[in-house]
Amino acid sequence: MILLSDPRISAIPLGDNGEQLVDLRQVDELLVDERLADPAGAYAHLREETLARLLTAQRSLPGGLRLLIVEGYRPLDLQTTYFEGYKDELRMKYPDWEPARVHVEASKYVSPPDVAPHSTGGTADLTLCTADGVELDMGTAVNDSPVASANACFTASPDISAQARVNRDILSAALSAAGMVNYPTEWWHWSFGDRYWALSTGADSTRYGPVALS
């Protein structure tokens, strides 16, 4: 399992094709959850091609199922706040851990800011729901941490129900076929065009770098 703290990720050259961020709340085909809504609406934005791939994935889902987008773009300053805050939590819970281990363990749940997928606008946290917006059983809630879930948030975790495994497999099949890449410690985290995607697909550089919401 390659983590976002791995030097191979930060070594991927940054490129950016200049695609715009799109407000998903204006896309009728998608459902956007508001649990992480911010005043600027950053959470509801993604790059154009990432949006296109999500729509492709949704159209391939079994009848009656839809994607529910929880968070897309995340400003770099917020990413930094999340990462440092989670490192503080780990330090309190595991005071004997060396700083290097804290950094690596934190990266299983929040990306180090220097390689942050969400800050490129190419990454979405999402789940499956019914046509009426009722979330399916995925084994854990979106954004459950490895510590809180005893690693059940890992995409391939064996410690979930049979139905949750079926639902994760449905989600994974649709998004993988659409060209998106999962971060294996978070079943809900799927990206396109960022450094993790580039390493996973053998791309020479990223399609997206950090971007600001205009």
Side-chain angles (χ1 to χ4, degrees):
M1 180 186 300
I2 299 175
L3 299 177
L4 282 161
S5 56
D6 193 300
R8 287 174 289 180
I9 302 296
S10 57
I12 298 292
L14 279 177
D16 197 300
N17 62 12
E19 282 179 22
Q20 298 298 305
L21 289 168
V22 180
D23 191 337
L24 306 183
R25 296 169 296 183
Q26 299 178 10
V27 180
D28 291 338
E29 289 182 67
L30 286 179
L31 292 175
V32 181
D33 189 273
E34 296 185 349
R35 74 189 73 173
L36 294 178
D38 60 284
Y43 79 104
H45 286 73
L46 284 173
R47 299 273 194 146
E48 295 166 326
E49 182 63 22
T50 305
L51 166 60
R53 288 170 185 268
L54 290 182
L55 292 174
T56 295
Q58 179 163 272
R59 291 167 190 149
S60 74
L61 291 173
L65 297 184
R66 300 182 68 177
L67 299 177
L68 180 64
I69 312 302
V70 175
E71 186 178 23
Y73 172 67
R74 185 185 297 158
L76 195 55
D77 58 347
L78 181 58
Q79 182 69 36
T80 301
T81 297
Y82 283 171
F83 187 65
E84 294 301 326
Y86 189 55
K87 284 170 67 176
D88 288 343
E89 288 183 34
L90 291 177
R91 289 188 192 101
M92 291 182 65
K93 190 173 182 65
Y94 304 104
D96 295 334
W97 283 4
E98 296 293 329
R101 182 173 182 185
V102 171
H103 185 86
V104 169
E105 294 294 333
S107 76
K108 293 179 181 178
Y109 182 53
V110 185
S111 170
D114 61 319
V115 296
H118 281 282
S119 299
T120 70
T123 297
D125 291 340
L126 47 74
T127 187
L128 287 176
C129 67
T130 66
D132 297 327
V134 178
E135 292 182 47
L136 273 59
D137 175 16
M138 305 298 286
T140 75
V142 173
N143 287 331
D144 258 0
S145 72
V147 172
S149 71
N151 292 342
C153 62
F154 286 20
T155 306
S157 171
D159 300 320
I160 58 175
S161 70
Q163 186 59 59
R165 170 53 51 203
V166 168
N167 294 338
R168 286 192 191 185
D169 288 347
I170 290 171
L171 182 68
S172 295
L175 290 163
S176 296
M180 299 194 70
V181 169
N182 174 243
Y183 188 46
T185 65
E186 301 177 341
W187 60 261
W188 57 83
H189 178 112
W190 290 83
S191 67
F192 175 78
D194 66 344
R195 276 177 158 144
Y196 201 85
W197 166 87
L199 184 70
S200 300
T201 61
D204 292 333
S205 65
T206 68
R207 293 196 183 192
Y208 308 140
V211 64
L213 184 65
S214 57

